[in-house]
């Protein structure tokens, strides 16, 4: 166990970095106890922090047991100061396996203890769906409903979802884009009675556990890339974060708030609302979602920006609520000058076109014989565009959210040869199961009916009834 002591607002905080079995560290913030806290609240805080240690270790072991790299996360040090933190060694070859594998284990542990059932509702633009499915597949206390946009994920991403033939997995292929499929999900969660009656929850990055686990990425990246931990003040490490919905960069902002000396860069594709927010304070839609090579980042409404605004406004809930309500109505928002200044001080940003992505993939291969996925290439584009600042001595770490193996079309577009693992090749021969939602259908009502049927079956499971036949096998219902 390592200790990293930080002086934040004249209080000493200690980040315990637990290197469990020499794997990915989990960062835990120990806060100083307030003198006026009651003994009972101190005890509760201590119990919450410490938890059942043997069970926690076992859950983390299970979560990471299927990762292909012995260290779970690996840093590749390439030419020209390009450090690529590979976060994609999980089952689905995407960084979301890291947080969701932990979340799935935590969920099952507490649901079994409480003998409860939950329904998970997820919208995906690519990688979230397959990682969420993998985290809960076969779990008896969880049913998961995933909506994916037809034709806007790669074939591999879609197959990673539709080939999971488990009774608790329900996949919907929707004729809509990634923002449109969020609408029925929002509608169901807004129906408080329905959500409570059916124990609805989400595994999108709106779920705090996702953000909590992702905070550890930044401490790991820092310890791997910092030139020294013996100087005062500690050196800064620049971390470039490919982002769409803003969840991962939100985790970075929290790590920064905890005192970790990092400079964050939000790197986006042509769907550049986060870039415009950082650069100009312009949190506004710009037409329809654009289909890009970095498809998992094809998002126009990054809901985690609300969290970032709250963090940087000094936890001003009233201001944040007012701003987000304005955006919801008009889809256009100009940040107040003071808040924009704080955002631009906290974050740098860049936007990469498909041409930029291809050029970064090509250059990385030519210089290193290293294949980048198109999302990782968005971060590499920033690196190649800012080599001068890297040469000045500030280490830079580019987060790699997915393996290039999942994006063969992008690799071919760059004139490179895909490296395809056997697990991915096997997907094309597997049976599939999904339900198609056409334009004009009431998507929210279809989901209501299916979720209600599952919940009713779960309540009568003792009667020996088979699970409801919600989907077609070997094709689409």
């Amino acid at each position: 166990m390592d200790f990293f002591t930080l002086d934040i607002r004249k209080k000493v905080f200690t980040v315990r970095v637990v290197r469990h079995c020499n794997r990915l560290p989990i960062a835990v913030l120990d806060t100083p106890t307030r003198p006026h806290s009651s003994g009972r609240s101190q005890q509760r805080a201590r119990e919450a922090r410490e938890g059942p240690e043997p069970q926690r270790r076992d859950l983390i072991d299970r979560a990471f047991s299927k990762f292909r790299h012995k260290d779970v996360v690996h840093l590749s040090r390439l030419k020209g100061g390009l450090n690529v933190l590979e976060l994609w060694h999980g089952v689905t070859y995407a960084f979301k396996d890291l947080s969701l594998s932990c979340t799935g284990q935590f969920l099952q542990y507490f649901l079994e203890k409480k003998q409860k059932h939950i329904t998970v509702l997820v919208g995906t633009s690519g990688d979230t769906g397959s990682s969420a499915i993998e985290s809960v597949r076969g779990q008896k206390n969880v049913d998961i409903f995933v909506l994916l946009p037809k034709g806007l994920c790669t074939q591999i991403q879609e197959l990673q979802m539709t080939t999971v033939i488990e009774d608790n997995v329900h996949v919907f292929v929707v004729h809509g884009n990634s923002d449109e499929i969020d609408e029925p999900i929002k509608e169901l969660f807004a129906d408080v009675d329905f959500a409570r009656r059916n124990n609805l929850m989400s595994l999108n990055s709106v779920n705090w556990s996702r953000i909590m686990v992702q905070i550890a990425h930044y401490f790991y990246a820092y310890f791997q890339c910092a030139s020294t931990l013996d100087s005062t003040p500690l050196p800064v490490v620049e971390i470039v974060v490919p982002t769409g919905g803003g969840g991962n960069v939100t985790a970075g902002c929290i790590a920064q708030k905890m005192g970790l000396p990092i400079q964050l860069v939000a790197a986006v594709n042509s769907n550049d609302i986060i870039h415009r927010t950082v650069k100009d304070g312009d949190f506004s839609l710009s037409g329809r979602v654009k289909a890009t090579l970095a498809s998992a980042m094809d998002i126009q409404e990054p809901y985690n920006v609300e969290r970032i605004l709250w963090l940087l406004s000094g936890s001003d809930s009233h201001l944040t609520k007012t701003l987000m309500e304005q955006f919801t109505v008009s889809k256009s928002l100009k940040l107040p000058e003071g808040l924009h200044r704080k955002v631009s001080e906290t974050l740098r940003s860049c936007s990469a076109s498909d041409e930029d992505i291809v050029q970064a993939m090509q250059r990385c291969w030519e210089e290193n014989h290293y294949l980048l996925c198109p999302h990782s290439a968005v971060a590499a584009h920033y690196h190649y565009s800012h080599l001068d600042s890297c040469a000045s001595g500030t280490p830079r770490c580019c987060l790699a959210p997915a393996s290039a193996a999942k994006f063969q079309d992008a690799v071919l577009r760059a004139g490179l040869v895909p490296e395809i693992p056997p697990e991915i090749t096997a997907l094309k021969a597997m049976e599939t199961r999904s339900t198609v939602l056409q334009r004009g259908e009431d998507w929210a009502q279809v989901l209501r009916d299916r979720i209600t049927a599952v919940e009713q079956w779960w309540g009568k499971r003792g009667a020996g009834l088979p699970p409801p036949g919600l989907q077609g096998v070997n094709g689409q219902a």
Side-chain angles (χ1 to χ4, degrees), residues 119 145 188 194 198 200 447-455:
T119 299
F145 290 73
L188 265 58
F194 180 84
N198 293 281
L200 289 192
L447 289 172
R448 285 178 192 274
D449 294 342
R450 298 291 178 90
I451 290 169
T452 299
V454 168
E455 194 65 30

Side-chain angles (χ1 to χ4, degrees), residues 66 68-69 88-94 97 154-157 159-160 371 373 402-409 411 417-430:
K66 295 182 180 179
R68 290 176 297 276
H69 197 283
W88 45 259
H89 290 287
V91 173
T92 74
Y93 292 84
D97 291 334
T154 69
Q155 181 190 29
I156 291 167
Q157 287 174 316
L159 287 173
Q160 284 182 324
L371 277 178
C373 89
S403 166
K406 297 185 73 169
F407 301 94
Q408 296 171 26
D409 289 345
V411 173
V417 179
E419 298 172 355
I420 308 174
E423 303 98 319
I424 287 181
T425 302
L427 290 171
K428 297 180 181 179
M430 296 172 68

Side-chain angles (χ1 to χ4, degrees), residues 5 65 89 151 177 248 356 396 420 457:
T5 302
S65 63
H89 290 287
N177 63 42
N248 204 4
D356 295 329
R396 177 180 294 144
I420 308 174
W457 171 83

Side-chain angles (χ1 to χ4, degrees), residues 285-298:
L285 299 192
S286 59
R288 295 180 61 83
V289 175
K290 302 171 185 174
T292 74
L293 293 176
S295 56
M297 292 157 50
D298 290 348

Side-chain angles (χ1 to χ4, degrees), residues 235-291:
V236 172
V237 172
E238 187 177 48
I239 300 182
V240 188
V241 189
T243 192
N248 204 4
V249 78
T250 299
C253 288
I254 295 170
Q256 193 180 62
K257 280 281 188 181
M258 290 166 71
L260 192 66
I262 54 176
Q263 172 63 59
L264 292 168
V265 180
V268 302
N269 59 21
S270 297
N271 298 287
D272 64 350
I273 184 169
I274 291 180
H275 175 51
R276 288 184 285 109
T277 301
V278 173
K279 182 172 176 285
D280 303 317
D282 176 25
F283 186 58
S284 305
L285 299 192
S286 59
R288 295 180 61 83
V289 175
K290 302 171 185 174

